[in-house]
């Protein structure tokens, strides 16, 4: 029966449904917000943070390559990549964002080089492209993390990873990247 299937899914994935039909994956009683309160250095490795905390270090549903989609283009004679993270539980899509400086102290060996805010990027056709495909994946994970943190707290995070504003599920909006670039330089 359907109710039994839901109970089994909840037992294997650890997903709980709360008000507004949103879900939160918790590990050892820790939410993404509480994990960052203890280990803020994880903000420097968005893909791992998303995989290990949001979806569980040893949970039944780990974030794999298949949860990202890629697009590559040639701009000014160079290849550029963008990525989208696809939430494996809701199918919501998070596009790569433009990295913002993270003030959290880095942990040796647990950071991107260059950091997401220093990585070379281009905006074309309303999407953010990076020269390195791995960085594009981190940028998509960072965008998802921003939105998850915003949904948990209802407020913009001081640890926001991307310049784009986070949004509630279903409220994604087109981004004016020209205005964002102008604000970034001021």
């Amino acid at each position: 029966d359907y109710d039994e299937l839901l109970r089994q899914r909840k037992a294997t994935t650890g997903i709980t449904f709360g008000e507004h039909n949103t879900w939160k994956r918790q590990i050892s009683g820790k939410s993404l917000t509480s994990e960052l309160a203890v280990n803020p250095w994880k903000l420097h490795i968005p893909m791992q943070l998303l995989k290990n905390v949001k979806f569980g270090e040893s949970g039944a549903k780990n974030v794999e390559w298949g949860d990202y989609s890629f697009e590559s283009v040639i701009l000014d004679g160079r290849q550029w990549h963008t990525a989208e993270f696809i939430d494996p539980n809701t199918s919501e899509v998070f596009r790569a964002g433009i990295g913002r400086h993270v003030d959290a102290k880095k942990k040796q060996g647990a950071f991107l080089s260059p950091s997401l805010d220093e990585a070379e990027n281009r905006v074309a056709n309303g999407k953010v492209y990076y020269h390195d495909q791995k960085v594009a994946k981190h940028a998509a994970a960072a965008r998802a993390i921003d939105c998850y943190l915003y949904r948990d707290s209802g407020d913009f995070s001081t640890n926001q990873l991307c310049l784009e504003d986070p949004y509630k599920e279903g409220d994604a909006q087109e981004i004016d990247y020209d205005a964002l670039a102008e604000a970034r330089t001021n």
Side-chain angles (χ1 to χ4, degrees), residues 95-132:
R95 288 183 174 178
I98 297 175
R100 176 190 296 256
H101 177 74
V102 176
D103 286 330
K105 186 177 178 179
K106 293 178 181 177
K107 181 177 179 181
Q108 186 174 350
F111 59 89
L112 297 176
S113 183
S115 62
L116 199 54
D117 67 308
E118 296 170 339
E120 192 175 5
N121 67 65
R122 297 277 302 268
V123 174
N125 305 318
K127 297 177 183 175
V128 180
Y129 292 87
Y130 288 87
H131 188 60
D132 184 310

Side-chain angles (χ1 to χ4, degrees), residues 36 39-44 101-107 159:
L36 288 173
N39 298 305
W41 58 267
K42 290 183 178 181
L43 288 168
H44 293 285
H101 177 74
V102 176
D103 286 330
K105 186 177 178 179
K106 293 178 181 177
K107 181 177 179 181
N159 292 321

Side-chain angles (χ1 to χ4, degrees), residues 1 13 17 25 45 70 73 82 87 100 112 124 135 157 164 170:
D1 90 23
T13 63
F17 293 88
R25 174 69 167 107
I45 47 172
F70 299 96
V73 297
T82 191
D87 185 299
R100 176 190 296 256
L112 297 176
V135 174
S157 171
E164 298 88 343

Side-chain angles (χ1 to χ4, degrees), residues 17-176:
F17 293 88
E19 64 183 89
H20 310 299
N21 200 28
T22 59
W23 60 271
K24 295 178 184 176
R25 174 69 167 107
Q26 296 188 343
I27 266 225
S28 305
K30 290 185 180 180
S31 69
L32 192 59
T33 305
S34 65
E35 178 66 18
L36 288 173
V38 177
N39 298 305
W41 58 267
K42 290 183 178 181
L43 288 168
H44 293 285
I45 47 172
M47 284 175 28
Q48 286 79 2
L49 174 62
L50 191 61
K51 177 180 178 180
N52 296 336
V53 177
K54 188 69 178 171
F55 296 101
E57 291 179 27
S58 59
K61 182 62 180 176
N62 284 322
V63 178
E64 301 293 343
W65 277 90
D67 297 315
Y68 290 88
S69 66
F70 299 96
E71 178 184 317
S72 299
V73 297
I74 303 293
L75 300 170
D76 298 328
R78 291 180 64 194
Q79 188 168 25
W80 296 82
H81 312 278
T82 191
E84 294 177 336
F85 170 72
I86 301 134
D87 185 299
N89 297 302
T90 67
S91 299
E92 184 176 4
V93 175
F94 299 92
R95 288 183 174 178
I98 297 175
R100 176 190 296 256
H101 177 74
V102 176
D103 286 330
K105 186 177 178 179
K106 293 178 181 177
K107 181 177 179 181
Q108 186 174 350
F111 59 89
L112 297 176
S113 183
S115 62
L116 199 54
D117 67 308
E118 296 170 339
E120 192 175 5
N121 67 65
R122 297 277 302 268
V123 174
N125 305 318
K127 297 177 183 175
V128 180
Y129 292 87
Y130 288 87
H131 188 60
D132 184 310
Q133 191 177 52
K134 180 181 175 184
V135 174
K137 267 180 68 173
H138 277 285
R143 191 82 172 101
I145 289 166
D146 282 351
C147 290
Y148 293 141
L149 288 171
Y150 175 65
R151 293 167 190 180
D152 284 350
S153 69
D155 196 5
F156 289 102
S157 171
T158 56
N159 292 321
Q160 194 171 321
L161 299 173
C162 296
L163 293 177
E164 298 88 343
D165 288 338
Y167 54 89
K168 298 281 186 185
E169 188 172 358
D171 288 346
Q173 299 173 354
E174 291 296 315
I175 298 166
D176 182 351

